Amino acid sequence: MDQTNLIKDLLFALLLVVLQAFLWNNIHLFGWVSPMCYLIYFYVHPSYTNPMRLLTTAFFMGLLLDIWLDTLALHALACTVVAQSRPWIMQLTFGLAHEQKTFRIHQATWLQRMVFFGLITLIHHWVFFTVEDLSWSHVGAALWRTLITGVATIGVSMLLIAVFKPAKS
Amino acid sequence: MSRLTAFFSSNKTKLLFGFYLVLSLTLTLSYQTFNQVRLLHTSGGIGAQIHETTSHWRDYFSLSAQNEVLRQENARLKAAEWNQPMTHQTYSGPYRAKATRVVRNTFNQRDNYLLINTGTKDSITTDMGVVSNLGLVGIIEQTQKGYSSVMSILNSRSRISAQVNRTGHFGSLVWNGSNHNRVQLIDIPITAELKKGDTVATAGMSGIFPEGILIGRLMEWKKSADQNYLELEVALFQDMSRVRNVYVLQNKDKISRDSLIR
């Protein structure tokens, strides 16, 4: 990733954090469910970049959100886990195709993209809500919140991705 | 040495992941373990001011000034109402109500807090009760000069004494984390003859809240795990996702009252 792309990438991450803090976190579906659409960052991030850079960006993106939303370091933790597992998720979803530098996510099938973003979301939410509850007696509640918030995140995010998808060249 | 360098070089991504993982877990667990208050730690100072600014925008611009006048008047009326002599609770002290505004509110986490824009400069101290015109909101947990954090009743650590108004049975009000419109009243004796729709209010045991502040309506109940008590499901009167204007209750006799209990 060259210098210009790096700045663009960081600005995009920052934009998603701001949108999450001021917009998506103020959406309360069913009265309490706020979609975490900033996970779109892990969806659009190029596959060939330095994994250490992704880890660092993910950690600080999460930490910024934590500071704003009073969520301890839960977003930072969940984002770090997602960043680390992203190559594995890509391997699982797209096979070897994602290792090619010419690979673009929007060229994958609709189902593959859904599965990819779905796994990112579920891993993130599961870590987030499990550590937040941190009690065996609340495992069921954590799974329930993972599922409901996950559906909201995937639904709203895929809608946004469909609206703002890049034009076909 | 070269092997060590090679090890670090080949595992640098894993090591960095481990570092961030340990750091974020430490930050999270240290707060949870020591029950520290999150809101003022992370959102204090500049953060609190930004929250207040964004909150102002929600308050329909100039309407807030008019609201303030009305709330102050309401505070005086509420204080007069709560200071009526109790018929069977001689320990309830005279309460003062300080009108304040919620500038930040969480309700969809496991441990929820509110941030209000009054603090030590307004004589707010910890363990003061916070209520709205619709019912119970929480208890002051930490204060700064201009802001205080309130432990919401939607918090796993919240335990407030409450009673079923019709029968007079009292227990502890807790939250199981599943629904932000419902709380649970536990430790109610199994002999209590309850009716769906009974109102639940504060019991006034702690001196934080006067007796009789409404909390919610009884929806259903079941036996506790040990079969000796009832667990009541209470639908809150106050929608905790829409708390804006609240009152901090100051009980000037609380210190002397607490010293007698000890």
Side-chain angles (χ1 to χ4, degrees), chain A residues 124-144:
Chain A
H124 176 281
H125 289 12
W126 181 75
V127 171
F128 185 95
F129 291 118
T130 303
V131 178
E132 186 187 32
D133 282 348
L134 211 67
S135 161
W136 285 112
S137 58
H138 294 132
V139 167
L143 282 174
W144 173 247

Side-chain angles (χ1 to χ4, degrees), chain B residues 130-148:
Chain B
V130 179
V131 299
S132 70
N133 60 339
L134 291 176
L136 199 63
V137 172
I139 296 173
I140 300 281
E141 182 147 303
Q142 199 178 49
T143 55
Q144 280 184 354
K145 193 180 173 189
Y147 299 95
S148 304

Side-chain angles (χ1 to χ4, degrees), chain B residues 21-36:
Chain B
L21 196 70
V22 169
L23 185 63
S24 49
L25 271 172
T26 307
L27 284 169
T28 303
L29 299 182
S30 64
Y31 276 110
Q32 284 187 343
T33 308
F34 296 110
N35 288 338
Q36 293 186 44

Side-chain angles (χ1 to χ4, degrees), chain A:
Chain A
M1 190 182 274
D2 61 31
Q3 203 69 20
T4 319
N5 283 341
L6 173 66
I7 292 167
K8 272 187 191 172
D9 186 62
L10 292 177
L11 284 175
F12 182 59
L14 196 66
L15 174 73
L16 288 173
V17 167
V18 170
L19 284 172
Q20 183 64 48
F22 288 95
L23 181 66
W24 296 317
N25 228 58
N26 289 316
I27 297 172
H28 303 302
L29 301 168
F30 317 116
W32 63 275
V33 181
S34 300
M36 300 188 196
C37 299
Y38 76 99
L39 293 180
I40 289 173
Y41 177 79
F42 296 100
Y43 176 89
V44 298
H45 190 81
S47 59
Y48 55 84
T49 52
N50 183 346
M52 291 176 73
R53 192 171 287 168
L54 176 64
L55 265 174
T56 304
T57 314
F59 176 79
F60 284 102
M61 189 166 76
L63 201 63
L64 262 179
L65 263 178
D66 287 322
I67 290 168
W68 181 256
L69 301 175
D70 304 306
T71 43
L72 308 172
L74 289 168
H75 282 287
L77 176 68
C79 284
T80 303
V81 173
V82 167
Q84 179 67 8
S85 29
R86 190 172 179 271
W88 170 78
I89 301 170
M90 291 197 95
Q91 176 85 37
L92 190 79
T93 319
F94 306 115
L96 292 173
H98 82 280
E99 288 177 3
Q100 296 166 8
K101 212 169 178 179
T102 52
F103 176 78
R104 295 289 178 273
I105 193 111
H106 60 270
Q107 291 165 348
T109 65
W110 178 84
L111 184 66
Q112 281 177 317
R113 284 183 283 144
M114 275 292 283
V115 170
F116 177 56
F117 191 71
L119 285 172
I120 285 175
T121 304
L122 290 179
I123 289 172
H124 176 281
H125 289 12
W126 181 75
V127 171
F128 185 95
F129 291 118
T130 303
V131 178
E132 186 187 32
D133 282 348
L134 211 67
S135 161
W136 285 112
S137 58
H138 294 132
V139 167
L143 282 174
W144 173 247
R145 293 169 78 193
T146 300
L147 193 71
I148 299 296
T149 313
V151 168
T153 301
I154 294 167
V156 178
S157 301
M158 292 312 279
L159 195 71
L160 288 168
I161 289 165
V163 171
F164 294 103
K165 69 180 176 186
K168 281 182 183 170
S169 54

